[in-house]
Amino acid sequence: MAQDEALWVPGTDHAGIATQNVVERIIAKEGKSRFDLGRAAFLERVTEFVTETGGTILEQLRAIGSSCDWSRTAYTFSPQLSRAVREAFVRLHDDGLIYRGHRVIHWCPRCLTSLSDEEAEPHETHGKLYYVRYAAADGSDRSITVATTRPETIPGDVAVAVNPEDERYRDLVGTTVRLPVIGIEIPVIADAYVDPAFGTGALKITPAHDPNDFEVGRRHRLPTPVIIDQVGAVREVLDSKGRVPPELEGLDRFDARTRIADMLGQAGSLVKTEVHQNNVRHCYRCETVIEPRLSDQWFVKMKDLAEPALEAVRDGTIRIMPERWVAVYVNWLENIRDWNISRQLWWGHRIPVWYCDACGRKPIVSRDEISECPHCHGAVHQDEDVLDTWFSSWLWPLSTLGWPDESSADLKAFYPTDALVTAPEILFFWVARMIMAGYHFEGRAPFHTVYLTGTVRDMQHRKMSKSLGNGIDPLDVVARYGADALRYTVIAGMGMGADVMLDPDNLDQSFATGRNFVTKLWNIGRFLLLNVGDGDVQPLASIAKSRLTRADEWILDRLDAAIREADASLGPARPGDERWSERELTQGMRLSEYVESARRFVWNELADWYVEAAKLRVSTEGPDRDVARAVLVHVFDQALRLLHPVVPFVTEALWQRLPTRAANEYLARAAWPAPGESRARAPQFEIARSAVSAIRQIRAEYNVPPGKMVDAVVVGRDARAVGVLGEESDLIGRLARATITASTQGPTGAAAHALLPDGSEVVVLLAGLVDIEKECTRVSAELAQLEKQLASLEQRLANESFVSRAKPEVVEAERTKLGEWSTRREQLASKKRTLCAG
RNA sequence: GGUCGCGUAGCUCAGCUGGUUAGAGCGCUGGUCUCACAUACCAGAGGUCCGGGGUUCGAGUCCCUGCGCGACCACCA
């Protein structure tokens, strides 16, 4: 609408682990595992499954009216995007940024795959801390007690480590101790990694089953016996002959834990156990407790990649909103660790690496399939593993625009893109990595605004999830209330980065905001179209300014204010220069504020006041009818434009029916509104408006029946106000059901009184109804309140510091206020004298 | 353990760089089926801006502190 070509590429990723898990569960019901089916047949099943179900997200996206370019719907597993994945892998490898590492990684014994640091989620767990005594090997009665949460890994121990500074154990360093129950002799070593303050200050070292122990073991050139297999059972897997006692052989790690605790107890080696709280990592897909596992995996070196991504956010090339996430982003990048990109899954991009079975040279990394060794022409086999799904997602802004084809028209036209909108929980998984990929492969940031939304939660503030059953399917909401109601509710209810609470058990109430607004908008449209009728409607520009009424000027003025507010709330789409200015960094993207400005205009100003004011004019034949019609249509047209991005369906449907709409035009393509020049008489209408409110207030207070006409004297503060009130008396009278007399002064007794903000007064004559005592009380209360406020205002203005230090416009405003309030005080005081004297 | 955020009306939250009498939606109370709309209209009640200090002419807004929540990160076995 801002006449700026916009592209939103829809699409999905292949969700490696998640999808594979679901399909494995399905075939498990048939009593099969993926290994029974074999790789090819299994992949067929997954493809089948994805084809059937994969469209749901896109359907939902479409149903809620997302204005995507559906012809470009992308999928990370498509040939085009797969090509980009391979290209990226090969380039990174050629750049020396991909390497194969032998180390302890996070392993899910259920999914049978490794996971990245981000995919292994720490959960607070209440466990036990076991204190186990390791006796000296020399037969003396000396011993060293270690504290461990995982006694089942004792068979894999290769040393006991203490801090080199620790006096308690200094004489033991260099000696050997025996593994309890097992009897193997291991050394006591000193390593600074050990925290002397924790537990006993002595730490058992199990290099194959703990990442830190692995590092310690490497420093001390210790062996790495593996005693837990890939499904998490204890057995002699590698370099561990004679280490696993027969009682533990084949036991699951948790069973082995209780079993070995018993054995240690019987052997007198278990000193004590303590309740202990610590973080245990779980698989982010199946919640299984992660088992650290020693294996060969492909890693991406992250430090060099992180550098420009860090710089981009620091120097304002990319802004992250809300701003508080910047610190989180920076912190993660500064402490970034290498990215394990291999997954021992089948559903994903196979790693483009081949090994020669004959000559056994270095692994061959290739863009194309390889059938024989380029060196010896021997047989080759491809790496069994696939890539982390995020290894394809991190290329999204590039790959969906045609990369690696540098001549791609899309890439030229739309890269770098503008805004990336997503949930904060994938800031690291996705956003940070996309930025790194953008810089590494294309030398530029992939977007310059990162907008992190809040999360939709239920009434207990729980995230919506399948397992809790507290989710809301957008399709249900669309079916019940329409897409616009859903969109309005969520957009209006979500301040920047704030969560929005919706009750899955009470959709009526949860979506009332949006439903009511859309209904209201529709009804305004109905009235308008009905009353404007079929005849030609003149464009507002062709109406002479002198023909506009005060109400016309007022509503046009309010429209301009709404447009200005909306523009300010939305802010600029992209940086004015290469980088965001200090101001721009935090400006804009306030969707809820933009929506509120538009809502207030349409509902509280257009519908509640202008439409009511214009009713008589549009139903009365004559030249003024055309003026009112022109203004109504113009204002509504502009309002629809303003609202279209939020409620596209209902605004488009209404706009199509506007008499001024040209054939074959769409609101979606209409120009975004721009404010016009200011109108002098617009503020005067406020006096009339408050007069109506004041009369209504009095009517309500005295329980005057709605149909009954009353007499009201409207006393202007000055001649000009009286003039305005006189000219608008018909309108005021109609809206307030009163016969209006505008005057410079009014009766003080036997009437109900109300003051207008500008100092004018409304006196409603209620023959025989007025309760003088009530009026006295009211006026007294009002006066007291005013006196208090006036006192503090006077004090402020008498304060020299305020007058000299505050901004001049603030002081000026306070002075004006003082004048107005003083007048009101006098009026009230005189009123009080008359009323309260009886 | 580190970092960050939050605590404003019964509920969910706005309130941006300190400056009119602190706002919205939903809910609540009273009155209206007024010829666009009862998913509406009119009027109204409801707030010690978590507590305590401080800076300032001026604090919901800035600083310190206490209490209560939450998020993220982290190799303390």
Side-chain angles (χ1 to χ4, degrees):
Chain A
M1 293 182 82
Q3 310 307 305
D4 192 353
E5 197 168 9
L7 172 66
W8 178 1
V9 179
T12 51
D13 68 21
H14 59 280
I17 298 184
T19 311
Q20 172 152 338
N21 280 351
V22 173
V23 177
E24 282 190 318
R25 234 172 286 147
I26 292 170
I27 61 173
K29 283 183 191 147
E30 302 162 13
K32 290 184 196 145
S33 78
R34 72 191 210 231
F35 301 101
D36 296 331
L37 287 183
R39 193 159 189 149
F42 180 75
L43 287 181
E44 229 167 87
R45 284 296 294 270
V46 180
T47 310
E48 205 176 290
F49 173 81
V50 168
T51 317
E52 275 171 29
T53 62
T56 309
I57 293 175
L58 294 174
E59 263 172 52
Q60 292 170 327
L61 197 60
R62 211 187 274 258
I64 64 172
S66 300
S67 184
C68 302
D69 183 343
W70 300 102
S71 72
R72 297 177 206 236
T73 304
Y75 177 45
T76 48
F77 220 30
S78 69
Q80 162 64 27
L81 271 66
S82 299
R83 182 179 157 225
V85 166
R86 219 171 240 212
E87 180 69 27
F89 187 96
V90 174
R91 280 205 208 170
L92 286 170
H93 183 266
D94 292 349
D95 295 337
L97 293 175
I98 281 189
Y99 67 94
R100 192 154 173 79
H102 180 68
R103 59 176 72 172
V104 174
I105 44 79
H106 307 295
W107 178 265
C108 175
R110 202 217 63 83
C111 302
L112 300 181
T113 180
S114 64
L115 298 169
S116 68
D117 293 338
E118 290 71 29
E119 290 167 326
E121 295 180 331
H123 291 321
E124 207 152 83
T125 310
H126 296 274
K128 274 184 192 162
L129 190 58
Y130 300 80
Y131 287 78
V132 183
R133 184 185 304 121
Y134 288 35
D138 61 8
S140 70
D141 56 0
R142 291 201 298 179
S143 69
I144 189 162
T145 300
V146 303
T148 180
T149 51
R150 302 201 57 198
E152 72 276 16
T153 63
I154 287 175
D157 286 359
V158 295
V160 169
V162 298
N163 192 286
E165 306 295 319
D166 197 331
E167 300 291 345
R168 292 171 293 177
Y169 304 119
R170 186 159 279 173
D171 55 333
L172 280 170
V173 174
T175 68
T176 57
V177 294
R178 281 190 198 283
L179 283 184
V181 175
I182 296 144
I184 288 178
E185 199 172 326
I186 56 168
V188 176
I189 60 172
D191 195 287
Y193 163 70
V194 181
D195 176 1
F198 187 88
T200 61
L203 173 64
K204 67 188 212 55
I205 301 297
T206 322
H209 300 288
D210 183 286
N212 301 301
D213 290 10
F214 181 76
E215 293 304 320
V216 174
R218 198 148 73 167
R219 282 198 284 276
H220 296 269
R221 297 176 194 284
L222 297 168
T224 55
V226 179
I227 55 108
I228 296 176
D229 67 13
Q230 59 167 8
V231 297
V234 175
R235 65 176 82 248
E236 292 170 4
V237 180
L238 192 70
D239 304 326
S240 53
K241 225 169 172 26
R243 282 181 167 266
V244 176
E247 296 94 324
L248 297 181
E249 178 75 26
L251 284 187
D252 175 78
R253 48 200 169 137
F254 298 108
D255 299 333
R257 181 176 302 171
T258 40
R259 190 67 202 272
I260 198 167
D262 287 347
M263 293 163 73
L264 290 167
Q266 278 162 27
S269 302
L270 188 60
V271 178
K272 60 169 175 177
T273 62
E274 270 176 7
V275 178
H276 182 61
Q277 191 180 2
N278 67 340
N279 281 326
V280 174
R281 286 181 184 265
H282 292 243
C283 175
Y284 85 132
R285 280 303 166 201
C286 72
E287 293 287 314
T288 303
V289 174
I290 293 301
E291 184 60 38
R293 185 173 189 225
L294 185 60
S295 65
D296 290 312
Q297 306 281 336
W298 291 98
F299 291 88
V300 178
K301 274 189 205 167
M302 299 304 273
K303 215 171 160 22
D304 290 352
L305 291 174
E307 212 53 54
L310 204 46
E311 191 54 26
V313 169
R314 281 186 174 145
D315 72 14
T317 306
I318 298 175
R319 60 174 184 180
I320 299 178
M321 305 176 102
E323 215 184 357
R324 63 188 136 93
W325 288 104
V326 169
V328 177
Y329 174 90
V330 167
N331 191 272
W332 185 74
L333 283 172
E334 281 177 343
N335 301 295
I336 197 152
R337 297 156 73 184
D338 287 354
W339 177 17
N340 175 5
I341 51 169
S342 346
R343 295 291 177 278
Q344 288 65 46
L345 303 171
W346 288 351
W347 181 241
H349 299 97
R350 191 102 174 241
I351 292 177
V353 173
W354 286 260
Y355 305 93
C356 176
D357 300 325
C359 69
R361 293 214 194 185
K362 280 205 307 192
I364 306 136
V365 177
S366 167
R367 286 177 177 81
D368 306 308
E369 300 290 317
I370 287 198
S371 53
E372 62 173 38
C373 174
H375 307 290
C376 70
H377 303 287
V380 291
H381 67 272
Q382 188 173 1
D383 197 303
E384 292 294 320
D385 294 351
V386 301
L387 289 161
D388 180 1
T389 303
W390 298 104
F391 193 88
S392 49
S393 308
W394 80 322
L395 303 172
W396 192 262
L398 295 163
S399 58
T400 57
L401 295 177
W403 188 89
D405 176 8
E406 289 294 340
S407 65
S408 152
D410 281 359
L411 197 60
K412 282 183 184 157
F414 296 112
Y415 193 92
T417 68
D418 285 314
L420 187 276
V421 182
T422 195
E425 58 254 41
I426 52 176
L427 179 61
F428 306 142
F429 276 113
W430 196 35
V431 181
R433 287 175 183 156
M434 279 194 284
I435 296 172
M436 293 189 241
Y439 275 100
H440 188 74
F441 296 115
E442 201 54 34
R444 281 181 298 168
F447 31 73
H448 34 242
T449 295
V450 173
Y451 181 90
L452 299 170
T453 65
T455 305
V456 178
R457 298 174 182 277
D458 69 10
M459 299 321 275
Q460 286 94 59
H461 295 198
R462 297 174 306 182
K463 220 158 149 175
M464 294 190 169
S465 76
K466 260 192 194 142
S467 51
L468 284 175
N470 61 346
I472 296 173
D473 186 342
L475 295 177
D476 289 344
V477 180
V478 170
R480 292 172 75 146
Y481 317 111
D484 286 347
L486 167 71
R487 296 166 64 105
Y488 186 93
T489 301
V490 175
I491 294 172
M494 193 180 269
M496 186 187 283
D499 292 345
V500 57
M501 312 303 161
L502 295 173
D503 188 350
D505 298 322
N506 190 350
L507 296 182
D508 270 356
Q509 190 177 327
S510 294
F511 293 94
T513 320
R515 182 199 56 186
N516 294 356
F517 178 76
V518 171
T519 307
K520 183 72 186 182
L521 185 62
W522 182 254
N523 281 316
I524 296 168
R526 256 187 14 183
F527 166 83
L528 223 109
L529 295 166
L530 200 75
N531 283 275
V532 165
D534 292 331
D536 278 352
V537 173
Q538 298 175 45
L540 183 66
S542 72
I543 303 274
K545 287 203 177 94
S546 57
R547 295 177 67 197
L548 295 179
T549 65
R550 219 171 249 115
D552 293 337
E553 288 201 15
W554 176 79
I555 196 64
L556 290 166
D557 207 57
R558 296 322 303 156
L559 171 65
D560 286 350
I563 296 169
R564 286 202 184 86
E565 283 172 29
D567 283 342
S569 301
L570 290 169
R574 54 181 72 98
D577 211 339
E578 288 244 327
R579 291 171 192 166
W580 296 101
S581 68
E582 197 65 36
R583 215 186 133 68
E584 287 170 334
L585 278 177
T586 54
Q587 208 184 19
M589 302 294 277
R590 264 119 182 130
L591 301 191
S592 58
E593 290 176 26
Y594 143 59
V595 167
E596 173 56 20
S597 299
R599 184 203 66 83
R600 200 184 45 235
F601 173 71
V602 173
W603 197 323
N604 300 143
E605 292 165 348
L606 177 58
D608 289 350
W609 288 97
Y610 186 74
V611 161
E612 294 302 328
K615 266 181 181 169
L616 190 66
R617 295 169 66 201
V618 287
S619 61
T620 310
E621 283 302 331
D624 184 51
R625 176 167 189 257
D626 286 334
V627 177
R629 287 167 78 234
V631 175
L632 268 174
V633 170
H634 171 82
V635 163
F636 194 55
D637 177 358
Q638 297 291 301
L640 290 175
R641 294 172 196 234
L642 211 51
L643 281 164
H644 185 251
V646 189
V647 281
F649 294 105
V650 79
T651 50
E652 184 72 72
L654 288 167
W655 200 78
Q656 292 291 324
R657 291 167 165 82
L658 285 183
T660 46
R661 171 212 170 226
N664 299 321
E665 277 201 23
Y666 290 90
L667 174 56
R669 301 171 61 94
W672 186 252
E677 80 275 28
S678 69
R679 295 163 185 88
R681 290 152 74 219
Q684 296 174 1
F685 187 74
E686 297 290 354
I687 305 177
R689 217 158 66 99
S690 30
V692 172
S693 293
I695 297 170
R696 284 174 177 168
Q697 200 179 322
I698 291 168
R699 294 182 65 114
E701 197 162 329
Y702 282 96
N703 291 318
V704 179
K708 186 179 160 61
M709 289 294 285
V710 295
D711 288 321
V713 180
V714 187
V715 183
R717 187 171 68 123
D718 51 36
R720 219 175 68 176
V722 175
V724 170
L725 289 164
E727 283 168 40
E728 300 294 344
S729 59
D730 282 356
L731 181 61
I732 297 170
R734 191 155 50 77
L735 295 181
R737 302 241 165 186
T739 308
I740 304 299
T741 313
S743 165
T744 48
Q745 57 181 10
T748 49
H753 305 265
L755 281 175
L756 309 191
D758 81 320
S760 303
E761 183 194 14
V762 169
V763 182
V764 178
L765 308 168
L766 299 161
L769 283 176
V770 171
D771 180 341
I772 298 291
E773 228 171 278
K774 192 175 186 175
E775 288 302 309
C776 163
T777 314
R778 180 160 66 182
V779 169
S780 304
E782 207 168 329
L783 182 60
Q785 169 81 4
L786 186 66
E787 296 276 15
K788 232 167 80 183
Q789 285 161 1
L790 204 51
S792 87
L793 183 59
E794 272 166 348
Q795 198 177 2
R796 199 177 319 168
L797 278 164
N799 186 324
E800 213 155 294
S801 306
F802 168 70
V803 177
S804 58
R805 286 192 222 171
K807 282 187 220 142
E809 58 263 35
V810 173
V811 179
E812 194 43 49
E814 299 284 70
R815 287 222 169 94
T816 315
K817 198 165 64 184
L818 182 70
E820 283 171 6
W821 288 8
S822 303
T823 315
R824 281 178 67 184
R825 176 169 58 181
E826 279 162 42
Q827 286 179 319
L828 277 174
S830 107
K831 188 78 42 191
K832 186 182 169 183
R833 275 193 298 276
T834 324
L835 286 169
C836 302

